[in-house]
Structure formats: C-alpha cells, structure tokens
Amino acid sequence: MSIAALPLQVNAADKTLKITNKRDAFPIWHVYITPAGQSDWGSDQLGEGKVIGVGESYSWTIPWDGCYVDVQAKTFTGLIAEKRDLNVCGGFEWTLRDANPKQQSKKLKVINKREAFPIWKVYITPAGQSNWGQDQLGEGVVIGAGESYTWDIPWDGCYVDVKAVTFTGLEAEQRNLNVCGGRNWHLSD
C-alpha cells in the first residue's frame, strides 16, 4: 500500500501576518510583503498616509498561494528590519523591538573629514530635546582635519541629536542617529 502526499489546503483567511511595533521610538512607515524568495519588494503594503505607531499593530491577509512570505519594515529615518521565509499559514505575528540598549555599546564617533576648520564644539543630546546643553568636547579640545573623537552615550535609549560647530561658526547637525552598537558621523566639505 502506498500513501500519496497531498498538498496542504489552507484557507486564505487562515494566512495572516500581524506586525506589532514595540520599538522605543519611530513609527513604521513602510511595509513590504512578498511571496518568499522574490527579488523585488514591490509596493508599500501599508498604503499612503498609514503608519504603525509605537505600541500599535497592523494585520494583513495573504492572498496568494503558499504559506511563506518575506517581509520588510522601514521607519522614516531609514532603519530597516527584514524577516524571510515566514510561515503565515495559521497566522504569524512579527514584533519589532529595539535591541536592549543596556546590553549594547552606545558610542558616537565624530570624524572630521573637512579640509579646513577644526571642530571646536560638539553638542549631543537625547533625540528630540529642545536645548543643546553643554559643549561635549570640553575646554581646549578640538577635532582637527582627519581626526575623530568618540563618546560613550550614558542615557537610556538609542537615538541622539548631534551638532558640530567650527571656530568660524559653521554648524552641521544630524538628528535621530541610532548609536546602539556604535555610530560614526562623518563631516566633510
């Protein structure tokens, strides 16, 4: 007696993907879902003007044949998370979280690639602060051309705002830098 392997019949209503945003900050602005193994992500599945805010979820019913999908989520800052070969038959929930910042190195390295004008002042704050606070370089310290300076970030959370100022008053700033795991900020002419 032989037994034939029959394909598993799955109702489309049973094939769902739920994405939950449990990140510390930043809503998810774009979600791409494709059958597993596709080379092109296709169009944004959230749609125009929709986001998955912090603490929110969004679900999709997968309409095509097969149980496996690839999924990619992006924030407005360009941070990307991907999962491949997710089995959505019977439903799957993907929860996005920031890595535990207490377990990661949180460093910011400012690299001066400018040909002239050393950096005289650097201000670093948790992202979204309205006040830049004190100069983090300290009295008499500069970052000359081709030099760098590194800070350990002491506060909770992964995101910082940073501003660099030359002695002539030229300013450059960068907002919402993720420093968990370390981050380099290159300044050039």
Side-chain angles (χ1 to χ4, degrees):
M1 181 173 169
S2 66
I3 299 175
L6 298 174
L8 177 63
Q9 296 297 317
V10 177
N11 184 335
D14 296 329
K15 296 190 319 181
T16 58
L17 172 65
K18 179 179 181 180
I19 296 179
T20 300
N21 183 4
K22 293 219 175 169
R23 303 193 60 211
D24 290 335
F26 303 118
I28 297 166
W29 281 34
H30 304 286
V31 173
Y32 303 93
I33 306 168
T34 65
Q38 296 288 326
S39 60
D40 181 18
W41 283 108
S43 60
D44 177 16
Q45 297 299 308
L46 268 177
E48 187 68 33
K50 293 181 185 172
V51 299
I52 304 174
V54 176
E56 296 179 348
S57 298
Y58 199 92
S59 295
W60 293 265
T61 298
I62 306 303
W64 55 77
D65 291 338
C67 291
Y68 292 89
V69 301
D70 294 340
V71 61
Q72 182 184 82
K74 289 184 182 180
T75 68
F76 79 97
T77 62
L79 295 173
I80 297 173
E82 287 183 12
K83 284 283 191 185
R84 303 241 179 213
D85 295 316
L86 293 179
N87 184 346
V88 295
C89 286
F92 186 88
E93 181 175 0
W94 182 30
T95 301
L96 288 104
R97 303 180 196 285
D98 288 323
N100 185 345
K102 292 184 186 318
Q103 295 178 348
Q104 290 191 41
S105 165
K106 294 192 306 179
K107 294 183 181 292
L108 174 64
K109 183 177 188 179
V110 175
I111 303 166
N112 186 3
K113 292 190 168 188
R114 303 187 64 178
E115 293 179 19
F117 307 118
I119 298 168
W120 281 34
K121 296 181 187 280
V122 174
Y123 301 91
I124 305 168
T125 65
Q129 297 290 317
S130 59
N131 185 337
W132 283 107
Q134 296 179 335
D135 170 28
Q136 298 299 310
L137 271 177
E139 190 67 35
V141 179
V142 297
I143 306 172
E147 295 178 347
S148 65
Y149 197 93
T150 303
W151 290 265
D152 287 312
I153 305 302
W155 54 78
D156 289 338
C158 290
Y159 295 90
V160 302
D161 295 340
V162 60
K163 178 167 76 169
V165 183
T166 67
F167 78 96
T168 62
L170 291 172
E171 294 183 2
E173 46 181 84
Q174 189 73 39
R175 304 244 179 211
N176 298 313
L177 288 176
N178 183 347
V179 295
C180 284
R183 180 68 181 254
N184 293 339
W185 183 38
H186 300 264
L187 288 110
S188 57
D189 291 325

